[in-house]
Amino acid sequence: MRLTDLFPPSGPDAPDPDELLDAFTTWTADQGIGLYPAQEEALMEVVTGGHLILSTPTGSGKSLVAQGAHFAALAAGKRTFYTAPIKALVSEKFFALVDVFGAENVGMMTGDSSVNADAPIICCTAEILANIALRDGDRADVDQVVMDEFHFYAEPERGWAWQVPLLELTSTQFVLMSATLGDVRFFRDDLTRRTGRETAVVSSAERPIPLSFRYARTPLHETIEELLAGQQAPVYVVHFNQAAALEQAQALMSVKVASREQRDRIAEVIGDFRFTAGFGKTLSRLVRHGIGVHHAGMLPKYRRLVEQLAQAGLLKVICGTDTLGVGINVPIRTVLLTGLTKFDGVRTRHLKAREFHQIAGRAGRAGYDTSGYVVVQAPEHEIENERALAKAGDDPKKKRKVVRKKPPEGFVSWSEKTFDKVVAAEPEPLRSSFRVNHAMLLNVINRPGDAYAAMKHLLTDNHEDRPAQRKLMLRAIAIFRALLAAGVVERLDEPDEQGRRVRVTVDLQFDFALNQPLSPFALAAIELLDADSETYPEDVLSVVESTLDNPRQVLSAQQFKARGEAVAQMKADGIEYDERMELLEDITHPKPLQEMLEAAYETYRKGHPWVGDHELAPKSVARDMHERAMNFVEFVNHYGLARSEGLVLRYLADVYKALRHTVPDDAKTERLTDISEWLGELVRQVDSSLLDEWEKLRNPGEETPVAVPEQAEPSRITANTRAFRVQVRNAMFRRVELASRRRFAELGELDAESGWGAQAWQDALEDYFEQHDRIGTGADARGPAMLMITEESDRWLVRQIFEDPDGDHDWGISAEVDLPASDEAGMAAVRVTAVDDAPAG
C-alpha cells in the first residue's frame, strides 16, 4: 500500500489534521510499525501546520516523522522539500520516498543530477534549497521543508546553507531534525518571530533502545574479545584515522571472530563479488573472517558490501572511522571508541559532546536489541599502568616501586573523568556560521524586487552577532562594487517591470555556484588551446582537472613520490644535503599548463568576479594515469593509495562527468573522445555504481543495472570497443615505457605468468639496445600508427611498435588479448608472445 492511496477525501478546505493523522497511522500499522510517543507527538504538530524541531536520539524514528510531513503536505496539494548534507544521503532518501509515494511524486536535485525537478516532493542538498531561497525569496515554490541532520547548521564552511532558508522562506513550514541539537530555544523563538507560526519542540533523551556506557582499561583486543564473548556483537570499533582502522582489523585476524558455519554463510553471500587487487584482496580476507572495514576512502561497492553483510548479521566486528555518525546504515549493537580525541585538520582535541553522542547514538538496533552498548578505551599508557599496579597486588612496597608510564610527548590524553563528563554533557548549542559570497549577491540581485532591501535583510537579520554582521556588510559592499566594475551587474535609472533597481547582465544557469562553479572558465580556457597540437586531448584534460576539487591524498602521494625520485637523482649528482633540502621545497605534485591556466584565470575573473570564491587548482591525476599508461590498480599501487582508492575513483568519475558534460561537442576530437570513453569504462569496471546510478538518475526511463553484492559484475569491458581499444593501447604502451627505462623487474611482474619474467625481458631488450640507444615515449610513440590490432572472435592480435631513433620501426612487442578473460578481469588480459624485430604475421 502506498501512502498516496490513503489521502483523505479532497474538498474546498485543507485536509482535517485528525483525518491526516488517522490515514498515516493506518499506513504505519499496515507496515507493522508501532509509533513511539515522541513520534506521535511530532506527527500531531506537523499535521496542524506548525513548525517542528525534532530532537530525539538516533533510532527513534525521525525518518518516519519526515514521511508523515511529506504526506501531510502532499495531501494538501503543497510542495515539500527534504534536505540532507551529502549527496549519497539525498540519493538514498530519493529512492526510499519513491517506494512510498511513487516515482511520479518524487524528484531530486543535487547539483550533479536533476530528476523530475517539478515533482511535489523534492530531495536535495542543503545548498540547492539555499540557492532557491536566495533566488526567489519568499516567492519560492516551497511550502514545507524537512531539514535532516540540522546540526550541520554549525559547520563553518557549509552552515550558511542551513541558515538561509530559515531567513528567506517566511511562508514555509519547517521540520528541523537531528539527534544532537542541544538547546533549541533560539530556533524556536526565531522561527515563530519570522513566520508568525507556532514552533513546537519535541525532544526526548529517552531512547527506544537504551544505552549503557563503560570505560575499558583492558587492551583493545581483549576488550573486543570480551564483547564477542558477552554476545554484544556486532561491534563497531571507531578509529579517528583510516590507517588505524585497517591495522586493527588485520590484527583481529588472529581472533576467532566467526564460527565455521558463519564463515561458510559469508562466502555464500559474497559469491562472485569482484575484489580488485590491493585493498580489495585484503578486504576479501577480512570479511570472510567475519571482520569488516568501513571508511570514506573505500570504494562505494566495498562499503555497501560491508553494510549488507552487517545487516545480515554476518560481521561480528567492523573497524571504521567516525563516518558512521552521518547517517551511515550499519546496524550495530556496540560502539567501541578507541579514544576521545581527534585531529580536526588543525590540532588534536577532545571530542565535543555533539560528536561523541552522534557516534555513540549508533549503538543498539531497533527491532533487534533491547540495549545498546558504548565502550570507550582508556589511553594505552593508562592501561599499562593499571596492569602494572594490578601485578603489584596489595603490597604497598611493590606499588611504590611501579614506574608509571607517561603519555607520549604531545599526546592529548583523556581519562575516566573526561569520559564521565562527555557522557553526561548535552550537545553544545549550535552556533551560526553565516557567509557572504558572489553567488549569494548574484542570486539575490537576480530575483524580482528590491535587491538592496533583500540584502539588507539578509545581512542585518541573520543569526550572527552585530560585529560579525558589520564585517559581512563590508564584504558584501566590496563584492557588489567588483560586480559593478566588471559589468556583471548594472544599476537602473528606474525600476524595471519586476521592481529591480539593479540587474544581472549575464545569464546564470540555476546551479552555477554548485556543480563545478569553474565550468564556464573551463569552456573559455579550452578555446585557448590548439586543437591541432599533439597534446590537445591531454591539455583539455588538464583544463578540466584544474576546475575540480583537490583530492588531497593523491596530490600528497604524488609530491612524496616526486620528491623521493628527486632526492635519489640529486644524490647521484653529488648535490650536498642542505642544497637538496632547499631544492626539494620547489618540488610539488604535477601541474600541467599552470602558467597558462593561472594567467587565463586572472583575465577571466575580471569579467566574472564570482569565480574568485573558488580556487583554480592545476593538477594531473587522470592525465598522469593516462600518460603513464596505467590501469586503476597500477596507479593506486604506484602511489601507495590503497586506503584512499575510493577517493581516487570518485575523483576520476568527476573528471569523466566533466569531460562528457562540460566540454562542448565541437571541441571533442577523436582522441579526446577515446580518453573520455576509456576513463568512463575504467571507473565503471572498478565500481559501476558510481556511474550507473548517475546515468540512471539522468535517464530515469532507461534500465541501467546498479551493482550490488548479489550482482556485482558490471557490463562486459569488451562491449565498449572504443574504450577497450584505449585500454589495450595503454597496456601495451605501459610496457614500452618500462622498457624505455629498462625496468626489467616491473616488466617481469606484469608478464611472468605468460613466460616473460624479468630475465626474459632483459635478454630481449639487450638485443634492441645493441642497435639503438633509446626507445621513444613521446606523442609520436603513442600514435595510432605505432599500434596494430587484428580483431578475431575471442582474441585480438596486437603489435606495439617501438619508436627508435633511426625511424626503422622494426622492433616491437607482440601480444594476444584474451577477450573472455578481459571481461572476467574487468581489464585487458594481455599475454606477451614476442619482443623482437620481426612483426607478427
Side-chain angles (χ1 to χ4, degrees):
M1 185 192 304
R2 280 185 176 168
L3 262 173
T4 48
D5 298 330
L6 297 173
F7 285 152
S10 58
D13 301 319
D16 179 73
D18 291 333
E19 290 183 357
L20 283 173
L21 190 58
D22 287 345
F24 187 75
T25 53
T26 297
W27 178 78
T28 57
D30 184 67
Q31 306 296 308
I33 300 171
L35 298 179
Y36 299 126
Q39 287 176 306
E40 290 183 344
E41 183 183 353
L43 286 166
M44 283 190 285
E45 298 293 347
V46 166
V47 297
T48 59
H51 302 303
L52 170 67
I53 300 175
L54 182 59
S55 179
T56 56
T58 301
S60 60
K62 287 185 288 294
S63 293
L64 195 67
V65 175
Q67 288 180 352
H70 296 314
F71 173 72
L74 210 60
K78 295 180 178 179
R79 197 161 191 238
T80 173
F81 279 65
Y82 168 90
T83 74
I86 58 177
K87 294 175 185 177
L89 290 181
V90 173
S91 177
E92 181 182 301
K93 182 61 66 172
F94 167 76
F95 289 114
L97 291 178
V98 164
D99 288 341
V100 173
F101 292 101
E104 68 281 6
N105 288 315
V106 187
M108 184 176 81
M109 292 185 281
T110 64
D112 284 340
S113 303
S114 179
V115 180
N116 198 16
D118 295 324
I121 303 175
I122 294 293
C123 302
C124 65
T125 53
E127 284 82 357
I128 287 283
L129 179 64
N131 247 25
I132 292 172
L134 288 168
R135 184 161 292 197
D136 296 333
D138 203 33
R139 301 179 181 87
D141 184 16
V142 181
D143 300 303
Q144 181 193 77
V145 170
V146 178
M147 302 185 89
D148 207 353
E149 308 288 353
F150 185 70
H151 56 274
F152 271 77
Y153 166 96
E155 285 288 304
E157 297 296 323
R158 302 179 60 203
W160 67 271
W162 274 259
Q163 185 172 160
V164 162
L166 305 181
L167 306 179
E168 293 292 287
L169 303 178
T170 55
S171 299
T172 299
Q173 178 192 24
F174 284 94
V175 178
L176 312 180
M177 307 192 307
S178 172
T180 53
L181 286 179
D183 186 346
V184 296
R185 286 175 293 179
F186 168 81
F187 296 102
R188 179 195 63 195
D189 298 342
D190 187 69
L191 269 175
T192 298
R193 173 181 69 83
R194 291 176 187 278
T195 66
R197 295 187 196 219
E198 287 300 312
T199 303
V201 176
V202 176
S203 60
S204 171
E206 183 180 343
R207 288 174 49 96
I209 309 299
L211 294 182
S212 60
F213 295 85
R214 177 163 71 92
Y215 188 70
R217 291 189 175 89
T218 49
L220 182 57
H221 69 278
E222 289 186 17
T223 305
I224 293 172
E225 289 179 358
E226 286 178 15
L227 293 170
L228 292 173
Q231 304 300 310
Q232 290 175 266
V235 180
Y236 195 105
V237 187
V238 181
H239 302 77
F240 293 96
N241 66 72
Q242 297 170 3
L246 179 57
E247 183 181 332
Q248 182 58 45
Q250 291 175 309
L252 288 171
M253 288 290 286
S254 60
V255 177
K256 186 178 180 181
V257 173
S259 67
R260 175 76 261 174
E261 293 77 15
Q262 289 167 335
R263 294 198 297 272
D264 289 343
R265 175 63 182 145
I266 290 169
E268 180 185 339
V269 171
I270 289 174
D272 296 328
F273 184 90
R274 181 191 288 172
F275 292 94
T276 54
F279 176 76
K281 300 302 181 187
T282 301
L283 182 65
S284 178
R285 290 194 300 273
L286 290 169
V287 294
R288 293 175 195 279
H289 198 72
I291 303 165
V293 180
H294 196 285
H295 60 70
M298 294 167 58
L299 295 176
K301 68 177 182 180
Y302 291 157
R303 291 205 310 273
R304 197 165 49 251
L305 173 66
V306 169
E307 290 167 15
Q308 294 190 3
L309 290 173
Q311 287 163 0
L314 296 174
L315 297 182
K316 299 302 180 185
V317 180
I318 303 166
C319 297
T321 60
D322 56 337
T323 53
L324 86 161
V326 192
I328 301 301
N329 187 22
V330 179
I332 47 184
R333 181 171 295 169
T334 301
V335 169
L336 169 57
L337 288 91
T338 57
L340 287 176
T341 62
K342 68 181 291 185
F343 181 69
D344 63 6
V346 177
R347 62 188 175 90
T348 300
R349 57 166 174 79
H350 288 115
L351 292 182
K352 296 176 181 177
R354 170 169 292 103
E355 294 167 329
F356 174 79
H357 289 291
Q358 195 74 30
I359 298 167
R362 296 290 163 186
R365 305 167 299 172
Y368 294 90
D369 301 323
T370 57
S371 180
Y373 306 91
V374 180
V375 182
V376 174
Q377 283 290 115
E380 287 185 14
H381 68 274
E382 183 181 327
I383 294 171
E384 291 187 26
N385 291 339
E386 192 80 13
R387 289 211 149 183
L389 289 169
K391 192 175 181 181
D394 296 328
D395 189 330
K397 291 183 179 180
K398 287 184 179 180
K399 282 190 173 183
R400 282 196 298 271
K401 289 181 179 179
V402 170
V403 179
R404 294 176 182 271
K405 186 173 182 180
K406 295 181 179 179
E409 188 175 348
F411 180 75
V412 179
S413 192
W414 64 94
S415 65
E416 190 166 9
K417 286 185 179 179
T418 315
F419 166 75
D420 291 337
K421 184 178 178 181
V422 76
V423 169
E426 290 291 320
E428 300 82 1
L430 296 173
R431 296 192 179 279
S432 171
S433 54
F434 197 74
R435 288 186 162 205
V436 176
N437 57 27
H438 290 79
M440 180 178 287
L441 258 72
L442 286 167
N443 272 321
V444 172
I445 292 169
N446 219 33
R447 77 163 76 155
D450 187 346
Y452 294 110
M455 276 309 300
K456 181 180 179 182
H457 161 71
L458 267 175
L459 296 170
T460 62
D461 194 21
N462 54 52
H463 297 165
E464 298 287 327
D465 59 24
R466 288 302 295 167
Q469 287 179 351
R470 281 193 287 270
K471 290 180 181 179
L472 290 171
M473 289 180 217
L474 293 174
R475 165 80 172 146
I477 291 169
I479 291 173
F480 181 67
R481 286 173 176 167
L483 293 172
L484 273 175
V488 177
V489 301
E490 64 180 7
R491 289 191 175 98
L492 301 175
D493 294 332
E494 297 290 335
D496 66 11
E497 63 278 5
Q498 292 186 307
R500 297 188 183 97
R501 291 191 290 153
V502 60
R503 70 171 184 176
V504 179
T505 61
V506 296
D507 289 331
L508 300 175
Q509 71 271 26
F510 169 72
D511 56 357
F512 81 101
L514 295 172
N515 183 24
Q516 310 311 341
L518 294 181
S519 292
F521 163 75
L523 293 177
I526 288 170
E527 292 180 1
L528 301 176
L529 301 177
D530 179 5
D532 295 325
S533 167
E534 285 289 338
T535 61
Y536 173 76
E538 290 79 11
D539 291 344
V540 171
L541 200 55
S542 291
V543 170
V544 167
E545 288 199 70
S546 74
T547 67
L548 302 179
D549 291 339
N550 282 339
R552 288 183 296 105
Q553 291 93 323
V554 182
L555 304 188
S556 295
Q558 287 179 318
Q559 177 174 287
F560 181 80
K561 190 86 169 178
R563 288 184 172 180
E565 292 171 353
V567 165
Q569 185 60 51
M570 285 187 276
K571 284 182 178 178
D573 295 341
I575 298 174
E576 294 297 322
Y577 175 81
D578 289 342
E579 186 179 355
R580 290 203 306 266
M581 293 301 100
E582 187 176 335
L583 291 172
L584 280 180
E585 290 298 316
D586 297 327
I587 296 176
T588 182
H589 60 85
K591 299 179 180 181
L593 306 184
Q594 181 179 11
E595 289 186 11
M596 185 277 279
L597 286 167
E598 289 179 349
Y601 178 73
E602 287 306 312
T603 301
Y604 186 82
R605 69 185 293 184
K606 290 176 183 176
H608 308 78
W610 64 84
V611 302
D613 293 332
H614 310 282
E615 183 182 356
L616 187 75
K619 53 188 167 292
S620 177
V621 177
R623 178 171 183 163
D624 187 27
M625 180 184 291
H626 175 67
E627 290 184 333
R628 291 180 184 275
M630 288 180 170
N631 60 35
F632 183 78
V633 173
E634 289 169 342
F635 185 82
V636 165
N637 290 341
H638 179 72
Y639 286 114
L641 291 164
R643 286 200 311 271
S644 302
E645 61 182 4
L647 170 79
V648 178
L649 197 69
R650 282 191 294 275
Y651 175 82
L652 294 175
D654 286 342
V655 176
Y656 169 66
K657 294 174 188 177
L659 280 176
R660 282 194 62 186
H661 298 285
T662 296
V663 180
D665 289 341
D666 59 5
K668 293 178 180 176
T669 63
E670 286 292 311
R671 283 186 55 220
L672 181 57
T673 302
D674 284 346
I675 290 175
S676 177
E677 288 293 313
W678 159 75
L679 191 56
E681 198 59 39
L682 179 147
V683 172
R684 187 169 281 111
Q685 291 298 322
V686 175
D687 190 340
S688 62
S689 65
L690 275 175
L691 294 182
D692 286 345
E693 183 173 289
W694 180 62
E695 295 290 358
K696 180 180 176 183
L697 292 171
R698 291 182 62 85
N699 305 290
E702 298 180 11
E703 285 296 320
T704 307
V706 177
V708 293
E710 289 78 9
Q711 184 190 338
E713 299 299 324
S715 59
R716 293 184 302 111
I717 190 172
T718 58
N720 186 337
T721 304
R722 187 167 201 160
F724 187 62
R725 285 181 74 91
V726 177
Q727 190 165 117
V728 170
R729 182 184 304 155
N730 284 353
M732 297 302 292
F733 197 75
R734 175 76 180 139
R735 289 162 172 81
V736 172
E737 282 208 316
L738 293 173
S740 74
R741 288 181 281 167
R742 309 189 191 206
R743 299 280 183 86
F744 305 123
E746 291 178 54
L747 285 164
E749 289 176 10
L750 283 176
D751 297 308
E753 289 186 10
S754 57
W756 281 82
Q759 191 59 52
W761 271 103
Q762 184 172 348
D763 293 343
L765 289 169
E766 280 180 354
D767 292 340
Y768 172 87
F769 285 118
E770 284 181 5
Q771 301 175 32
H772 307 288
D773 61 357
R774 64 179 177 81
I775 299 174
T777 58
D780 291 339
R782 291 175 174 272
M786 307 298 280
L787 182 68
M788 298 184 295
I789 298 178
T790 302
E791 298 183 17
E792 297 184 357
S793 59
D794 60 351
R795 67 172 184 167
W796 287 2
L797 301 178
V798 183
R799 176 74 173 176
Q800 174 67 57
I801 301 167
F802 289 162
E803 187 198 20
D804 60 82
D806 300 325
D808 294 336
H809 295 170
D810 50 355
W811 275 82
I813 305 170
S814 297
E816 290 184 358
V817 181
D818 186 323
L819 301 188
S822 298
D823 286 330
E824 185 175 345
M827 64 180 69
V830 174
R831 185 176 71 85
V832 173
T833 56
V835 181
D836 54 24
D837 57 355

